[in-house]
Amino acid sequence: MTRSEIAELRYAVGQLRQCVSALRSHYGDAGTVRRLENDLERLVIDTDEFEQAPPPETPGAKQETIYVPDAKHDEAAWMGAQDEGLGFHSRPRTK
């Protein structure tokens, strides 16, 4: 988020705070008002986290490559495991 977007978000949260305060004045300590206050507090916390978060990666940025070795793995580690999504979990495995 850019600084101006964070400023807009803070302004909107401030406006919402005024509205919730007006509701509290009119409805008192109603459960719905308390829930709105909790939601408002969560918005304040999330806005603070956006401000502290590092900027997102730019599109096309180089990502770390993870290499998976082609070496033979231990087949015994998978014996008895379900082959979910492959459609033949009830058949015995063949090598």
Side-chain angles (χ1 to χ4, degrees):
M1 275 187 121
T2 65
R3 289 279 175 212
S4 62
E5 290 172 330
I6 291 173
E8 284 181 50
L9 181 57
R10 287 204 180 277
Y11 178 77
V13 170
Q15 294 290 97
L16 187 55
R17 185 181 305 279
Q18 290 177 359
C19 293
V20 172
S21 292
L23 288 171
R24 176 166 279 292
S25 296
H26 189 265
Y27 292 101
D29 193 34
T32 52
V33 174
R34 286 194 312 269
R35 283 193 299 275
L36 284 171
E37 288 172 334
N38 285 339
D39 293 342
L40 179 62
E41 186 59 32
R42 184 71 233 170
L43 285 172
V44 169
I45 291 168
D46 290 344
T47 302
D48 291 342
E49 286 181 10
F50 265 123
E51 200 164 26
Q52 302 301 321
E57 289 185 26
T58 56
K62 184 168 172 67
Q63 294 182 355
E64 180 184 353
T65 303
I66 299 173
Y67 292 98
V68 178
D70 289 334
K72 186 83 171 151
H73 59 279
D74 183 12
E75 293 274 334
W78 299 102
M79 295 308 287
Q82 294 282 332
D83 291 324
E84 294 182 23
L86 299 178
F88 56 86
H89 61 81
S90 59
R91 292 191 310 192
R93 281 184 82 160
T94 57
K95 291 189 178 202

